């Protein structure tokens, strides 16, 4: 088991520089252009070192030092632990995009289509491959039904402006992936996401009260909790 963990950590660390580049590029407020280059020296932003600073001018870009590396390594270990045949490729694909999306949503409260749509398309294609490889068309049908159910719930929340538009494709992707493992795992993932988001909101409100500051809009970033809830459900199945 130790060699698997070590290999997973190395994979996570190797994936972190381009993931950092995605976070730096897409973690911009609504209405602003994507950050394709360093605002100080105009150097193209594709990969970034663990310090999170531009290699040209040392300007800090995106996430904090070693934060992406730590999360990517931890998620890679979780994927290795949850590995279960051909569907592991879909899980790994979702995990990679999930790391970037989690950081982007936490920073600017948005889930860009530039990331959620490739996530959705990749998960769908890899689930089809996994179903064909294992001869399980029933699992593929369940994935579709769960994805539609989760997507519909989140889309309804978008209509009433409780969520942002990027949450729907994320929900479709995660619903499809959780559907592979069964309805109970899918419901467990949504329940875990709701509990974690609620706990985060309560802790934030409590911290504001302790510091004697007004409790303003909680503005919960739903994406990270959807992703963490889905991963928790897969690991706990």
């Amino acid at each position: 088991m130790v060699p698997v963990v070590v290999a997973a950590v190395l994979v996570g660390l190797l994936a972190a520089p381009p993931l950092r580049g995605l976070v730096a590029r897409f973690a911009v407020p609504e209405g602003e252009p994507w950050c394709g280059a360093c605002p100080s020296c105009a150097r193209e932003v594709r990969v970034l070192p663990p310090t999170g600073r531009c290699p040209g001018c040392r300007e800090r870009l995106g996430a904090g030092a070693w934060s992406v590396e730590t999360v990517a390594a931890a998620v890679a270990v979780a994927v290795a632990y949850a590995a279960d045949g051909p569907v592991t490729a879909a899980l790994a694909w979702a995990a990679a995009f999930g790391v970037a999306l989690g950081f982007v949503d936490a920073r600017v409260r948005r889930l860009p289509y530039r990331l959620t749509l490739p996530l959705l398309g990749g998960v769908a294609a890899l689930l089809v491959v996994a179903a064909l490889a294992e001869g399980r068309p029933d699992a593929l049908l369940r994935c579709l039904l769960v994805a539609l159910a989760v997507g519909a719930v989140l889309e309804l929340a978008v209509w009433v402006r409780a969520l942002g538009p990027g949450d729907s494709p994320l929900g479709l992707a995660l619903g499809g992936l959780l559907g592979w493992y069964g309805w109970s795992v899918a419901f467990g993932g949504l329940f875990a996401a709701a509990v974690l988001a609620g706990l985060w909101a309560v802790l934030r409100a409590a911290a504001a009260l302790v510091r004697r500051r007004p409790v303003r809009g909680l503005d919960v970033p739903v994406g990270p909790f959807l992703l963490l809830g889905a991963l928790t459900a897969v690991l706990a199945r």
Side-chain angles (χ1 to χ4, degrees):
M1 187 62 184
V2 173
V4 174
V5 172
V6 172
V9 170
L10 290 176
V11 169
L13 294 177
L14 290 173
L19 292 179
R20 273 191 172 277
L22 291 176
V23 174
R25 182 179 182 186
F26 293 110
V28 296
E30 188 75 35
E32 294 187 12
W34 303 127
C35 181
C38 174
S40 297
C41 66
R43 180 172 179 148
E44 188 177 15
V45 176
R46 287 190 179 274
V47 297
L48 287 172
T51 58
R53 295 186 180 275
C54 172
C57 66
R58 309 299 295 169
E59 174 80 8
R60 183 175 293 280
L61 302 171
W66 288 98
S67 57
V68 177
E69 288 72 20
T70 301
V71 173
V75 170
V77 172
V79 170
Y81 178 82
D84 184 22
V87 75
T88 305
L91 183 60
W93 181 269
F97 276 90
V99 171
L101 282 165
F103 275 96
V104 171
D105 198 22
R107 288 179 64 84
V108 296
R109 303 301 190 269
R110 67 185 299 196
L111 295 167
Y113 288 130
R114 292 283 189 93
L115 294 178
T116 55
L117 293 182
L119 165 64
L120 176 58
V123 167
L126 291 170
L127 287 175
V128 170
V129 172
L132 293 175
E134 294 197 358
R136 295 180 57 188
D138 58 319
L140 194 59
L141 176 60
R142 186 174 61 245
C143 291
L144 177 60
L145 294 176
V146 174
L148 292 176
V150 175
V153 171
L154 295 183
E155 185 62 26
L156 179 61
V158 172
W159 286 350
V160 299
R161 298 186 178 182
L163 296 178
D167 290 293
S168 294
L170 177 61
L172 284 170
L174 295 180
L177 183 60
L178 292 175
W180 180 271
Y181 301 100
W183 284 97
S184 61
V185 175
F187 286 130
L190 290 177
F191 178 76
V195 170
L196 292 170
L199 180 60
W200 184 88
V202 169
L203 291 176
R204 183 178 175 185
L209 292 174
V210 169
R211 297 167 66 182
R212 296 184 179 180
R213 293 184 177 181
V215 181
R216 306 184 188 278
L218 294 178
D219 192 20
V220 177
V222 176
F225 297 109
L226 286 174
L227 291 160
L228 185 57
L231 182 60
T232 301
V234 171
L235 292 174
R237 74 188 191 281

